[in-house]
Amino acid sequence: MSSRSTAADKTFRVFDPHQVLLLPPSLDDWLPEGHLARFVADLVDEVLDLSPVLADYTEKRGYPPYDPRLMVRLLIYGYTTGVRSSRAIERKCADDVAFRFLAADQAPDFRSIARFRRRHLDALSDLFTQSLQLATKLGMVKMGRVALDGTKLEANASKHKAMSYSRLVDKEEQVEAEIADLEAMAAALLADTEASDTAEDQIFGVDGKDTDLPAELDRREKRLARMQAARAQIEAEATEKARVHAEEKERRRQQRAHAFDEQAVTEAGQKAAAKARPKPKSQANFTDPDSRIMKNSDGAYIQAYNAQAVVDEAHQVITAADVTCNASDALNYTTMLDQSAQNTGRHPKQALVDAGYCSETNLEAARDRQLTCGTDTFMATGRLGHDEQVPPAPRGRIHKDARRLPQPPQDLPPRRDSRHRRPGQLIQPGSPATSRALPAGHRADRPPPEPHTGPAGEPPRPIRRSQERSRLLVTDPRS
């Protein structure tokens, strides 16, 4: 009884949910100053150039569409806050104050949002470059050190819908034989149209129709068409891969011989493409032909894409991004760094990449990039185990009677370098950075070190870590 009297005596602030406002509410009162939605609104209205989007509207007839500024606001803020679904954005326009602020209290349906994005996909991708240029002008992109990494994005397709090339060939022959049998049966039935209803009932059943068989035939023909398209895709990819490999091989041969003949390069590619044959285990997916079966960070095989990103160290600004169907990261080293330089207008001083990018081609490209662009690439050449510890480097002076061996030692311990732990820190969605790396392209003008041995009867003496560190080329003796 006393608690009720105490509550009744307490004065609370006025709360009347049914209070009618004398004046309509102002959108500026909905969000606090400094809110991200206010920044997105100013960015779209004052900075970004939407002329490529507006230029697509050439038809004056029809119902007026939503203002492109409204749609771009919603898409940028939604993607920034992790809301990517068109249906989720539609719900946010009714439930979320920030979305209602950006949409000026309008509520476009999810179909309008999806169609706008699909219609202006190329123009919207250009907004990324504009935003990057703005960040560069604001001093947020230093291009002193960047990190390149990749991550597997699961595709909207099941890996069980994929079929290998060898099985495609066998299945295609089987389906063709089934279609031939069905066509022969259909032809026999059509030729026997004058037969009695009793005979038709025995074939189709009492309630069956003569359209049942053509429907089955149509289903198998569509299945055969999908299989033939998948087979053609695998063959085209094998042909293109063989052509590119042969052209690169011919260019390297001409470079060693100091001769340049582009016609010979083209002929080598055409010759290899004509002889190319897909591997029996090459696969294509019926649901999403562009996706590939890839191994994710958990060790599981999924139908996925490989997303790549280059991130500037200063403020975590993404300077380049792409999605590929290459399971290996090694094929994206040159293209991603070139895209980053094109977007920002300059090459970074240092580039950090993990062991997934380590290959002979990339090691040579890293050396050339250091000479032509001034970019020092720190490329990991291997990985350490989860509980593996790095032994201390051997110390001591090299023996005065040490002699050279023809091969480098195979037991050089891996080396930790804080710079090579950076990619995993800079690019959170990607795989963890490896901890064992060497500066690619560094000291490329010096020959690789060779181990020394002591006088006869003494075991070989390893090179000191400081000398091995300063003289070692981009290749790893253990690779």
Side-chain angles (χ1 to χ4, degrees):
M1 186 65 180
S2 59
S3 61
R4 287 188 178 183
S5 61
T6 303
D9 296 338
K10 182 65 177 178
T11 302
F12 296 99
R13 297 185 183 185
V14 177
F15 174 68
D16 186 2
H18 304 290
Q19 174 67 44
V20 178
L21 299 178
L22 178 62
L23 297 175
S26 174
L27 295 179
D28 290 334
D29 298 336
W30 289 8
L31 293 176
E33 293 294 334
H35 195 277
L36 177 61
R38 293 184 180 274
F39 173 77
V40 172
D42 294 339
L43 177 69
V44 174
D45 296 345
E46 307 295 339
V47 179
L48 297 182
D49 181 15
L50 301 182
S51 56
V53 178
L54 298 174
D56 193 54
Y57 293 95
T58 58
E59 182 61 50
K60 296 183 179 180
R61 296 176 298 178
Y63 192 77
Y66 287 99
D67 193 306
R69 294 176 301 169
L70 182 154
M71 306 299 281
V72 173
R73 282 180 170 193
L74 294 179
L75 291 177
I76 291 180
Y77 185 76
Y79 296 161
T80 304
T81 56
V83 182
R84 299 177 177 85
S85 169
S86 299
R87 289 177 172 83
I89 294 178
E90 179 187 4
R91 290 193 299 268
K92 290 289 186 178
C93 288
D95 303 337
D96 192 281
V97 173
F99 279 89
R100 295 185 64 177
F101 169 84
L102 292 171
D105 211 17
Q106 300 185 44
D109 63 283
F110 71 92
R111 293 185 182 88
S112 300
I113 299 173
R115 289 169 183 167
F116 179 86
R117 184 191 64 245
R118 193 179 303 114
R119 178 178 181 178
H120 305 289
L121 192 60
D122 295 336
L124 292 175
S125 62
D126 183 62
L127 298 181
F128 167 75
T129 306
Q130 295 186 37
S131 302
L132 181 59
Q133 293 172 353
L134 174 62
T136 304
K137 292 180 180 179
L138 296 176
M140 299 176 63
V141 179
K142 304 296 185 182
M143 293 302 287
R145 179 183 295 169
V146 300
L148 168 62
D149 206 350
T151 186
K152 302 301 186 295
L153 300 179
E154 190 169 359
N156 190 20
S158 172
K159 65 180 180 181
H160 302 293
K161 291 295 183 180
M163 187 177 292
S164 64
Y165 181 79
S166 58
R167 189 181 175 194
L168 271 175
V169 175
D170 298 338
K171 275 289 186 180
E172 186 176 333
E173 295 176 354
Q174 177 184 346
V175 174
E176 286 179 346
E178 293 175 355
I179 290 177
D181 294 340
L182 291 173
E183 289 177 344
M185 188 179 300
L189 289 173
L190 292 174
D192 197 25
T193 54
E194 300 298 331
S196 63
D197 293 342
T198 304
E200 291 181 348
D201 291 342
Q202 293 176 356
I203 298 176
F204 300 109
V206 177
D207 297 326
K209 298 180 180 179
D210 55 357
T211 57
D212 292 343
L213 189 60
E216 175 69 16
L217 180 62
D218 179 68
R219 184 182 69 84
R220 292 179 183 266
E221 286 180 343
K222 290 181 179 178
R223 183 183 179 190
L224 177 62
R226 290 196 300 268
M227 294 172 62
Q228 290 175 341
R231 178 179 178 180
Q233 176 189 351
I234 294 176
E235 292 175 347
E237 291 174 354
T239 301
E240 180 66 15
K241 184 177 180 180
R243 182 188 64 79
V244 172
H245 178 73
E247 290 180 352
E248 292 179 352
K249 184 177 179 180
E250 178 63 19
R251 286 193 180 95
R252 289 196 298 268
R253 187 194 67 79
Q254 293 182 8
Q255 187 176 6
R256 291 192 299 267
H258 302 285
F260 301 96
D261 185 0
E262 193 63 29
Q263 181 64 25
V265 173
T266 304
E267 292 177 356
Q270 293 175 351
K271 185 177 180 180
K275 296 181 179 180
R277 294 294 182 272
K279 295 181 180 180
K281 293 187 177 181
S282 300
Q283 294 187 343
N285 191 280
F286 296 142
T287 305
D288 189 353
D290 294 332
S291 62
R292 297 291 182 271
I293 293 181
M294 303 181 185
K295 188 176 182 180
N296 62 8
S297 58
D298 296 331
Y301 289 92
I302 60 175
Q303 199 76 26
Y305 291 91
N306 191 354
Q308 299 286 314
V310 180
V311 177
D312 184 76
E313 181 186 34
H315 292 86
Q316 309 289 291
V317 176
I318 298 176
T319 61
D322 198 4
V323 178
T324 70
C325 56
N326 302 319
S328 174
D329 289 336
L331 301 176
N332 304 301
Y333 167 75
T334 300
T335 56
M336 293 304 300
L337 291 183
D338 288 345
Q339 183 188 142
S340 175
Q342 181 180 1
N343 292 339
T344 59
R346 50 181 170 166
H347 293 273
K349 296 180 181 179
Q350 295 180 352
L352 311 182
V353 295
D354 60 19
Y357 297 87
C358 186
S359 67
E360 180 181 358
T361 302
N362 288 345
L363 292 171
E364 295 176 356
R367 178 187 57 194
D368 297 339
R369 184 172 293 273
Q370 197 276 335
L371 297 175
T372 58
C373 307
T375 300
D376 292 325
T377 301
F378 295 88
M379 183 179 296
T381 57
R383 303 177 185 272
L384 288 177
H386 183 67
D387 297 325
E388 184 177 356
Q389 299 294 330
V390 181
R395 302 292 179 180
R397 302 177 65 86
I398 300 177
H399 198 279
K400 64 179 181 178
D401 296 328
R403 57 186 178 85
R404 295 177 179 269
L405 287 177
Q407 296 294 332
Q410 301 299 315
D411 57 351
L412 285 177
R415 177 179 179 277
R416 287 189 180 272
D417 192 327
S418 61
R419 286 173 294 189
H420 305 284
R421 288 191 289 268
R422 297 294 291 169
Q425 300 171 8
L426 295 182
I427 306 178
Q428 295 298 335
S431 55
T434 56
S435 57
R436 179 174 173 271
L438 296 172
H442 193 60
R443 302 283 184 175
D445 55 334
R446 298 187 181 182
E450 296 183 357
H452 301 268
T453 59
E458 294 186 10
R461 301 193 61 171
I463 301 176
R464 286 188 298 172
R465 173 57 62 184
S466 60
Q467 296 179 348
E468 180 271 328
R469 165 70 165 76
S470 63
R471 298 183 56 196
L472 195 58
L473 277 173
V474 294
T475 53
D476 183 8
R478 303 200 305 174
S479 59

